[in-house]
Each structure stands twice: as structure tokens, then as C-alpha cells.
């Protein structure tokens, strides 16, 4: 596999594009507007300059030379693998997969989603090639974290799963785990209830955000507390994953607390907006 496409150049999409280009692959990234294209390119330049300064890559310019950021989905026509990394919204993702099915000309091309919660079957069945649709779920920050969840649906072919594993482990050098096609997969099914519990604790006045996070860092050896982690994930993404889990399982532990919903309504989304449970410069 040599030609990779990515749809979306936010934190996740840019990270997927970066690790693919660092692996020597030819990458096309598609954004929704010219302004988003410029923002995405700037995000890639900043990340790669930082990687070069830390000695993780020899040349940021050479990696950037393998990435094109454009606003036309038609540029994905010749891709062998396309990874969707847009907003965590089922309607938006299914509409995109309908379009990708028409745009990507190679009948053997893999159409993958980086969704953190939406069942892959729902994306596959809107295409004429559900056997080529799979979940390839990276974790943020993509250049740093080694885990990738591989999520085939009931209709995904064994060949698609094998080729996806080869891309993740062989080309990118990451480690894949196998997940069933159920909302939340492995990591978020365990992680999101934990984060929601911390939000409920804060909401009830039981403890401050600082003390909740300090307790888990110092008492359980977590690298960061659950509320700081929610800010990193994005509170809108946390809420979307929680809602997807609750819709599928109807378990109270998956229900988004009112505080989380109000913060998302207010645009307090965490690091991406400059303010969440903490304030960021």
C-alpha cells in the first residue's frame, strides 16, 4: 500500500496523515474549505517542525513533501486506503461514506473510519462495498500513542482486515488490537464510564477538578487525571461517544452528565477551545 487518503485535518486527521507520511507513504488530505486546508497544513507544519527539533525525524520538509492538503474529495480517486477522520457524527460520516464509495475508483480500496464509537456496520451498508469498510481507530496524539483498534463489521472481509493490519503494524509500526463492532469498541467502553464518573463527582461537589485528577495521578499512577484527559479528548467528542454507548446499551453509566452537556453547549470543549475543566493559554 503506497497511496493513502485522509478526510479531515483536525487533531486526529493531521496525526494520521503525519504518521503515514513519516512511513514513506504518499498522502492526500481533504478538508472542507480553503480556510480549513490552510489550518490543517499549518497544524502539520507545526507538528513536524517539533518532531524534527526533538530528533524524531531527519527532515520535516521531506515528510511534508509527501502530503498534499486539498479541498476536493475527487483527489482521493486513486487512493488504496482512505481513512475518515471527521466530526463524530453518524449522519455526517454516513453521508461521507456514500460519497467516498463513488469517488474512490479502485474496487479493492479500503474505506476506513477513525470513529471512536459509531458501529462500522452503519457506515459499511451505505456503500456498495461493505466488505472493504473497516474501523481503524487511532488514539490522540497519533504520532505518540502506539495503539490502534481494528474493527471489522460482520460484512468486512478477512482480506480487508489483514490488509488493514499490515498497514497499521507493518507500514506504521503501531500495535493493533481486535475489537468487535459494538459502540465504544474496547478502550472507550472502559474509559468513557470512568471519565463520566469523574465528571459526576465534580458536578456533585464531592471534590474539585484538581483534587480528582491529583488523586488518580498520585494514587493510581495515571499519567493524567480523568478531567484533564476529557479536555484532551475534547468534551464534544466525550459527549458524542457517551451518547453512542448509551444508545446501544441503555446503561446508566454511559449517560452524559448534565454538566458535560452544558459545557458542550457553551463551547467549553477543552484544549481545542482553550477552556474546559481547566483553562489553557
Amino acid at each position: 500500500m503506497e497511496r493513502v487518503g485522509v478526510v479531515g485535518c483536525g487533531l486526529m486527521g493531521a496525526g494520521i496523515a503525519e504518521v503515514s507520511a513519516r512511513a514513506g507513504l504518499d498522502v492526500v488530505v481533504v478538508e472542507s474549505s480553503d480556510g480549513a486546508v490552510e489550518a490543517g497544513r499549518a497544524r502539520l507544519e507545526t507538528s513536524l517542525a517539533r518532531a524534527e527539533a526533538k530528533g524524531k525525524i531527519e527532515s520535516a520538509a521531506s515528510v511534508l513533501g509527501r502530503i498534499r492538503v486539498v479541498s476536493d474529495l475527487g483527489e482521493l480517486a486513486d487512493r488504496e486506503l482512505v481513512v475518515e477522520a471527521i466530526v463524530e457524527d453518524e449522519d455526517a460520516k454516513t453521508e461521507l461514506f456514500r460519497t467516498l464509495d463513488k469517488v474512490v475508483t479502485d474496487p479493492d480500496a479500503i474505506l476506513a473510519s477513525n470513529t471512536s464509537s459509531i458501529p462500522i456496520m452503519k457506515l459499511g451498508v451505505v456503500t456498495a462495498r461493505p466488505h472493504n469498510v473497516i474501523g481503524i481507530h487511532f488514539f490522540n496524539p497519533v504520532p505518540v500513542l502506539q495503539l490502534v483498534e481494528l474493527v471489522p463489521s460482520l460484512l468486512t472481509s478477512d482480506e480487508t482486515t489483514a490488509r488493514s493490519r499490515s498497514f497499521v503494524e507493518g507500514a506504521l509500526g503501531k500495535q493493533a488490537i481486535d475489537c468487535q463492532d459494538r459502540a465504544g469498541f474496547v478502550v472507550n467502553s472502559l474509559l468513557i464510564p470512568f471519565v463520566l464518573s469523574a465528571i459526576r463527582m465534580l458536578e456533585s461537589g464531592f471534590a474539585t477538578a484538581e483534587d480528582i485528577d491529583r488523586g488518580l495521578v498520585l494514587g493510581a499512577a495515571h499519567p493524567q487525571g480523568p478531567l484533564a484527559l476529557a479536555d484532551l479528548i475534547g468534551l464534544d467528542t466525550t459527549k458524542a461517544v457517551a451518547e453512542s454507548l448509551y444508545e446501544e446499551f441503555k446503561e446508566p453509566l454511559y449517560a452524559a452528565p448534565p454538566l458535560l452537556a452544558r459545557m458542550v453547549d457553551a463551547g467549553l470543549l477543552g484544549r481545542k477551545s482553550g477552556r474546559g475543566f481547566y483553562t489553557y493559554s
Side-chain angles (χ1 to χ4, degrees):
M1 192 175 295
E2 298 177 351
R3 300 183 302 279
V4 173
V6 181
V7 184
C9 202
L11 286 174
M12 295 303 296
I16 296 166
E18 178 178 330
V19 296
S20 297
R22 283 167 66 166
L25 304 177
D26 176 75
V27 183
V28 172
V29 188
V30 181
E31 257 295 359
S32 57
S33 66
D34 290 342
V37 166
E38 293 305 315
R41 186 178 291 113
R43 182 174 288 111
L44 285 163
E45 290 172 350
T46 299
S47 179
L48 287 167
R50 187 181 303 121
E52 181 180 340
K54 292 181 178 179
K56 295 181 178 179
I57 58 175
E58 289 186 8
S59 169
S62 65
V63 177
L64 279 169
R66 291 190 285 271
I67 305 174
R68 286 189 293 127
V69 187
V70 300
S71 59
D72 180 7
L73 283 169
E75 296 284 340
L76 300 174
D78 67 341
R79 300 292 97 179
E80 298 165 282
L81 165 69
V82 176
V83 183
E84 166 273 313
I86 65 170
V87 63
E88 192 71 358
D89 178 86
E90 184 177 324
D91 291 339
K93 288 182 187 290
T94 52
E95 183 58 33
L96 175 60
F97 270 77
R98 286 191 187 95
T99 303
L100 290 175
D101 189 34
K102 299 172 184 175
V103 166
V104 181
T105 58
D106 183 352
D108 296 322
I110 295 171
L111 304 182
S113 176
N114 185 58
T115 179
S116 53
S117 63
I118 296 169
I120 302 304
M121 181 66 76
K122 293 185 176 182
L123 305 178
V125 295
V126 303
T127 75
R129 48 176 126 182
H131 55 287
N132 287 347
V133 177
I134 190 170
I136 302 181
H137 180 219
F138 295 82
F139 289 80
N140 183 40
V142 179
V144 176
L145 297 187
Q146 289 299 301
L147 181 67
V148 176
E149 292 178 321
L150 288 182
V151 193
S153 79
L154 292 173
L155 298 178
T156 304
S157 71
D158 291 342
E159 180 183 0
T160 294
T161 303
R163 290 175 63 206
S164 299
R165 184 180 303 279
S166 178
F167 166 68
V168 169
E169 296 184 339
L172 304 186
K174 293 187 177 292
Q175 298 185 40
I177 61 173
D178 298 314
C179 308
Q180 292 188 8
D181 186 20
R182 43 175 275 169
F185 314 138
V186 170
V187 173
N188 279 316
S189 290
L190 297 170
L191 178 63
I192 293 301
F194 167 64
V195 171
L196 298 181
S197 179
I199 296 173
R200 293 188 188 99
M201 182 175 282
L202 174 66
E203 186 176 49
S204 70
F206 188 89
T208 65
E210 291 79 5
D211 282 348
I212 292 169
D213 281 356
R214 189 179 299 118
L216 270 295
V217 170
L218 300 180
H222 288 206
Q224 64 184 149
L227 299 176
L229 177 59
D231 277 354
L232 177 62
I233 295 170
L235 301 193
D236 52 344
T237 300
T238 300
K239 178 173 176 285
V241 176
E243 290 173 343
S244 180
L245 286 163
Y246 185 75
E247 179 182 354
E248 180 141 317
F249 301 111
K250 301 299 188 292
E251 293 282 356
L253 76 164
Y254 293 131
L259 175 60
L260 176 61
R262 298 299 178 273
M263 292 179 73
V264 172
D265 289 342
L268 307 178
L269 307 181
R271 286 184 177 272
K272 68 175 74 175
S273 68
R275 180 181 168 193
F277 295 108
Y278 299 94
T279 299
Y280 304 89
S281 59

